[in-house]
Amino acid sequence: MQTTDISAAQQAMADESVKRLAMICWSNDLDKVWPTLILATTGAASGLEVDVFFTFWGLRVLQKNNKRFTGKNWMQKGESFVDRGGTDHLKLGKIHFAGMGTWMIRKLAKQYKVASPTELLEMALECGVRLHPCQMTMDLYGLSPEDFIDGLQPTLGAASFIDMAAKADITLFI
Amino acid sequence: MAYPQDAAVQPPALRIDALGKKCPLPIIMLAQRIGEVPIGNVIEVLADDPATKTDVPAWCGLKSHEFVGAGELAPAPGWAFRIRRSY
């Protein structure tokens, strides 16, 4: 039917007109995660389809805040002990100063009403940002699905992200 | 306030108070709530983050809503941005 064809064509045009943003979050340094989440939420709020691929240390961002130890063997458990996951526990990659630097920037952010990474991650899910965990990193760290917050997309591999990035209008590696 | 004439005539259907909020919160709040006003009506955002002066018009461009204008708030430093929901 002609009407169906027109409708399908309009839908296809509408889909093409939607801009896409593909991002990689590879680090759990506070100074890298914060801008990643700000841009992801703003992108989604501005009508873009946003995908964020969390890989290597970045995967720790998606971990539940109350999950203290993860991993299946002593090395994985030890790694989780020294590099605690969850947005409440992110540390600065520089000027951490044994916790003083991170404490100060978090306190300043609260004082000046800058949204915290935890708030931004919740907003990202509310705004429809698709958060993709990396399967390889999950295996590397011995993480299981119950270690993560709810609302995540199925795990991906590198080729899936490359495909996503190839179709995106903007790709950011922060 | 220095709005265009038609915007001054039409009061906002909804006002969002984003005073004190930093980037990207005013934009997120606007995006979350613009659907609450009927199409063709105006939503107003009160903000004092200087980034909103460029962010709100940019957001309107991305989302194809009409940026009606901005007025300075007095005496507090800040702005009232008006946006007309287009669809």
Side-chain angles (χ1 to χ4, degrees):
Chain A
M1 281 169 64
Q2 196 177 3
T3 50
T4 308
D5 291 340
I6 291 168
S7 168
Q10 283 174 337
Q11 185 60 46
M13 279 176 70
D15 289 345
E16 278 182 26
S17 71
V18 174
K19 299 258 184 236
R20 294 181 177 191
L21 167 61
M23 305 179 79
I24 298 178
C25 180
W26 67 273
S27 165
N28 62 343
D29 286 347
L30 180 60
D31 37 312
K32 296 188 179 69
V33 176
W34 222 330
T36 302
L37 293 176
I38 286 173
L39 292 173
T41 49
T42 307
S46 303
L48 279 74
E49 281 192 16
V50 183
D51 291 280
V52 189
F53 183 47
F54 291 82
T55 188
F56 281 93
W57 301 269
L59 191 57
R60 290 276 183 216
V61 175
L62 301 177
Q63 198 176 311
K64 286 175 183 162
N65 279 314
N66 60 1
K67 197 82 188 175
R68 184 64 191 92
F69 292 102
T70 58
K72 296 180 173 65
N73 60 44
W74 69 269
M75 280 189 288
Q76 290 168 337
K77 285 179 179 156
E79 205 281 339
S80 76
F81 178 70
V82 295
D83 195 21
R84 185 169 183 179
T87 42
D88 284 347
H89 308 291
L90 305 177
K91 298 186 290 253
L92 284 174
K94 60 178 186 178
I95 328 176
H96 177 58
F97 287 146
M100 184 58 83
T102 298
W103 176 81
M104 277 174 60
I105 196 72
R106 281 186 181 272
K107 190 170 174 63
L108 281 169
K110 203 169 182 178
Q111 186 180 338
Y112 287 92
K113 296 189 181 173
V114 176
S116 71
T118 302
E119 290 167 323
L120 287 164
L121 192 60
E122 284 168 11
M123 274 179 223
L125 285 166
E126 283 171 18
C127 293
V129 174
R130 293 185 291 252
L131 310 173
H132 306 272
C134 168
Q135 179 63 54
M136 175 275 288
T137 314
M138 274 186 74
D139 298 340
L140 183 71
Y141 283 153
L143 291 161
S144 52
E146 54 267 27
D147 294 327
F148 294 110
I149 58 168
D150 293 331
L152 304 184
Q153 300 296 310
T155 54
L156 291 184
S160 302
F161 177 76
I162 295 294
D163 181 48
M164 211 177 268
K167 291 171 181 158
D169 300 279
I170 309 165
T171 308
L172 296 175
F173 186 104
I174 297 176
Chain B
M1 295 282 189
Y3 295 116
Q5 191 62 34
D6 63 327
V9 170
Q10 186 184 15
L14 180 67
R15 176 175 289 142
I16 301 171
D17 183 359
L19 291 166
K21 308 269 190 205
K22 292 286 184 294
C23 171
L25 292 179
I27 295 297
I28 304 288
M29 291 166 79
L30 170 60
Q32 283 176 333
R33 300 202 58 191
I34 195 165
E36 293 176 28
V37 305
I39 292 166
N41 280 48
V42 170
I43 185 169
E44 187 173 70
V45 181
L46 307 181
D48 54 9
D49 177 3
T52 50
K53 286 197 283 183
T54 50
D55 278 3
V56 173
W59 182 85
C60 291
L62 283 162
K63 290 289 284 178
S64 302
H65 290 299
E66 182 192 345
F67 179 68
V68 179
E72 287 211 26
L73 296 178
W79 302 271
F81 301 97
R82 288 192 177 182
I83 301 101
R84 183 174 284 112
R85 185 180 168 195
S86 301
Y87 55 89

